[in-house]
Amino acid sequence: MTQTLQARNITLRDLIDQFGLQEVQDDDFFWEWRSQLPDLSEADKWFLDQAKAAFFNHLKYPPLLEKVVQVTLLSPLLFLGGFFLPPFHIQAEKSVEISKDDDGVIIRGQLDFILLKNDLWVVVIESKQAEFSVEAGLSQLLAYMMSSPNAEKPVFGLVIAGGSFLFTKLVRFPVPQYATSDEFKLRNRSENELYEVLRILKRLAQF
């Protein structure tokens, strides 16, 4: 992995200018997050309902650190998705620091990268002030995804920021192209959106 890809302040503009990265708007490009999603068992749904309740319980005791998000949301998703068992393995990557200047106040955050097998990345954003959206981690996630050793296979990623989730797909051959899913939010009043996140994870696991 080159130093360029590890730059903490890398932006989508950098990836566009240096690597020719293109965003694809065609729904057919990233069809995996929408089609042929597996059903969940009632036990899966019960477990995810508990995870959602735990997340909102911890919101009442700030700061909501990345480790809390990992324990209450990410760990149940990975467990139910079967990512703790062969052929998958979890490999923690280096953290990347991010920051923003809000009226003279520097707000700092942390991106923790997790690699599942070779072609599925997860990044969790830590911010004590909860100021960062999933967009804050997208460019860094794409940079890591571009380092995948197999240029001819699609690579998938998931950004988690608090109670928000965003999937992305990257294809590097013949030119690097990416697309994103809809953003899933636990604040939405519809069905627990962790259901859909888990269904997508299970679908991506099949690749």
Side-chain angles (χ1 to χ4, degrees):
M1 188 179 298
T2 65
Q3 185 62 33
T4 300
L5 295 183
Q6 292 180 355
R8 68 177 185 175
N9 295 320
I10 197 167
T11 65
L12 282 177
R13 188 74 253 166
D14 295 328
L15 297 176
I16 293 169
D17 292 342
Q18 296 181 36
F19 302 100
L21 180 65
Q22 302 173 1
E23 182 176 10
V24 179
Q25 300 293 339
D26 186 349
D27 288 343
D28 291 336
F29 177 83
F30 189 9
W31 58 269
E32 294 89 346
W33 76 271
R34 305 175 64 172
S35 302
Q36 303 175 22
L37 301 181
D39 294 329
L40 299 184
S41 68
E42 291 304 313
D44 287 340
K45 293 179 180 180
W46 180 88
F47 205 111
L48 293 177
D49 288 342
Q50 297 300 303
K52 180 178 178 178
F55 172 77
F56 283 111
N57 177 58
H58 283 93
L59 278 180
K60 301 171 186 176
Y61 302 92
L64 183 65
L65 298 180
E66 165 263 343
K67 297 303 180 185
V68 176
V69 175
Q70 285 193 10
V71 171
T72 58
L73 297 181
L74 180 57
S75 290
L77 288 168
L78 297 183
F79 176 80
L80 295 175
F83 291 103
F84 293 145
L85 300 173
F88 296 98
H89 63 273
I90 294 179
Q91 176 180 333
E93 295 291 319
K94 292 182 179 179
S95 296
V96 176
E97 184 181 85
I98 55 175
S99 63
K100 63 179 286 189
D101 189 334
D102 188 2
D103 294 330
V105 178
I106 301 297
I107 300 172
R108 300 189 184 279
Q110 201 78 11
L111 302 175
D112 275 1
F113 292 86
I114 299 172
L115 173 62
L116 307 174
K117 208 173 179 183
N118 293 321
D119 303 310
L120 181 56
W121 288 87
V122 177
V123 57
V124 183
I125 302 178
E126 172 186 359
S127 175
K128 293 181 179 179
Q129 289 91 346
E131 291 287 339
F132 294 104
S133 70
V134 289
E135 298 293 341
L138 181 59
S139 55
Q140 285 87 353
L141 174 61
L142 286 168
Y144 268 71
M145 292 168 66
M146 289 179 68
S147 71
S148 175
N150 192 338
E152 296 185 359
K153 292 181 60 179
V155 184
F156 300 96
L158 169 62
V159 186
I160 304 174
S164 299
F165 303 79
L166 182 73
F167 289 91
T168 186
K169 176 183 180 179
L170 173 74
V171 173
R172 288 193 292 157
F173 184 82
V175 295
Q177 297 179 310
Y178 80 98
T180 61
S181 69
D182 288 344
E183 186 174 345
F184 300 94
K185 294 176 175 290
L186 294 190
R187 280 291 183 187
N188 290 343
R189 295 182 179 274
S190 60
E191 182 181 71
N192 184 351
E193 296 208 348
L194 286 177
Y195 297 175
E196 201 69 9
V197 173
L198 178 57
R199 294 178 69 209
I200 296 171
L201 280 172
K202 287 189 173 188
R203 182 71 176 106
L204 297 183
Q206 298 173 0
F207 297 94

